[in-house]
Amino acid sequence: RPGPLKWLVAGLAGLGMMRTTRPTANTEAELSKSGLRVVAMRTAGGRRKRLGVPFRSCMLTGRHRFKIIKRTYSEKKNKIWWRPNTRWHNFWWEKEQKWVRLFVSAAAIKECDYVGLENMANKAGLDLYAWCKPHWEPGSKQPLCLKVGSTLQAARDRKYWKNYEAQLNKGKALADIFPKLGEKPLTKTQKRRAWKVWTPPDDSSAEAPERLEVNMKEGE
């Protein structure tokens, strides 16, 4: 909603007079175990951007737009954007018996039919337990970007996934298992700097050494 209408809707949502998130389940009976529907942000600058898959990028395969050269009949070059066939799709999570709404491509939907949702999420690095929570609840933020992310931060986080992938989709969100979000192990340089830092000893509890009394005679 561009223009003043977008500001009006945002103002009404801030005052609590309008709900901006729509239910994702198709019927009233399709509810999650906690009694809440699956809520997902539909803006590219929100949760999906923090996961490293902004704009029209697929959340399971990482497909995103890129430039190609299309030639005409007269061999004239035309640079155009190739965009994947992405859309919001509801997946049934058999393990938790609820619907999960993801922004995926058509190829990801076909692959998910053969492999399964959880296997695809583990391969992509998507925490389904954190994604199913509303974005305002604690534990809904994922510590690292997706493995298939296309942003610079996603490329930096790939080397830290070996410390988190063993606990991915194991019954709890990663934020609940690791309370300190974004805590990454120290690098070799940081460990070396921490080891070189010298702290003076605390001598407040140590007893003072005994003083030697020496009788000094005059003339000696």
Side-chain angles (χ1 to χ4, degrees):
R1 299 181 181 91
L5 183 59
K6 180 178 180 181
W7 305 332
L8 176 62
V9 172
L12 293 176
L15 295 175
M17 301 173 60
M18 184 176 181
R19 185 177 179 181
T20 57
T21 55
R22 296 179 296 174
T24 58
N26 296 327
T27 61
E28 293 294 333
E30 296 170 347
L31 297 174
S32 59
K33 289 186 177 181
S34 59
L36 296 174
R37 296 182 185 273
V38 180
V39 179
M41 291 182 64
R42 287 162 174 79
T43 57
R47 301 179 74 180
R48 293 195 290 120
K49 185 175 182 180
R50 290 194 295 267
L51 290 176
V53 282
F55 306 109
R56 295 182 60 176
S57 302
C58 177
M59 297 178 63
L60 294 179
T61 59
R63 292 192 174 193
H64 58 90
R65 69 173 191 168
F66 56 87
K67 275 190 176 182
I68 61 173
I69 296 177
K70 186 177 180 180
R71 290 182 179 267
T72 62
Y73 181 78
S74 59
E75 298 297 332
K76 181 181 178 181
K77 292 182 180 180
N78 293 325
K79 292 184 179 180
I80 63 173
W81 285 100
W82 179 88
R83 293 179 176 87
N85 183 15
T86 52
R87 60 183 179 272
W88 287 99
H89 188 77
N90 291 331
F91 293 93
W92 176 252
W93 193 4
E94 189 66 28
K95 181 178 179 180
E96 294 294 327
Q97 295 293 312
K98 61 181 177 181
W99 294 92
V100 182
R101 188 176 179 86
L102 301 175
F103 192 75
V104 293
S105 60
I109 297 175
K110 295 178 182 179
E111 186 176 353
C112 191
D113 291 339
Y114 289 97
V115 181
L117 174 62
E118 194 164 349
N119 292 334
M120 288 278 293
N122 292 336
K123 184 179 178 181
L126 176 63
D127 189 0
L128 293 175
Y129 289 93
W131 178 259
C132 290
K133 293 183 178 181
H135 62 89
W136 59 82
E137 286 189 4
S140 62
K141 185 178 179 182
Q142 191 169 319
L144 301 177
C145 296
L146 299 183
K147 299 178 184 178
V148 296
S150 57
T151 58
L152 183 59
Q153 186 61 36
R156 294 171 181 167
D157 289 348
R158 287 192 186 102
K159 58 183 177 182
Y160 301 115
W161 262 109
K162 58 182 179 181
N163 303 317
Y164 291 85
E165 58 187 0
Q167 302 294 335
L168 184 63
N169 296 324
K170 297 297 182 181
K172 287 185 179 181
L174 289 177
D176 298 334
I177 301 175
F178 303 95
K180 296 182 180 180
L181 289 177
E183 183 179 4
K184 302 177 179 63
L186 298 177
T187 60
K188 293 183 179 179
T189 306
Q190 292 174 343
K191 289 181 180 179
R192 195 179 302 111
R193 289 175 181 175
W195 182 78
K196 286 184 177 180
V197 174
W198 179 83
T199 55
D202 186 9
D203 296 335
S204 59
S205 60
E207 297 180 358
E210 297 181 0
R211 185 175 180 180
L212 297 178
E213 296 182 359
V214 180
N215 296 327
M216 299 295 294
K217 296 182 179 180
E218 296 179 0
E220 292 183 357

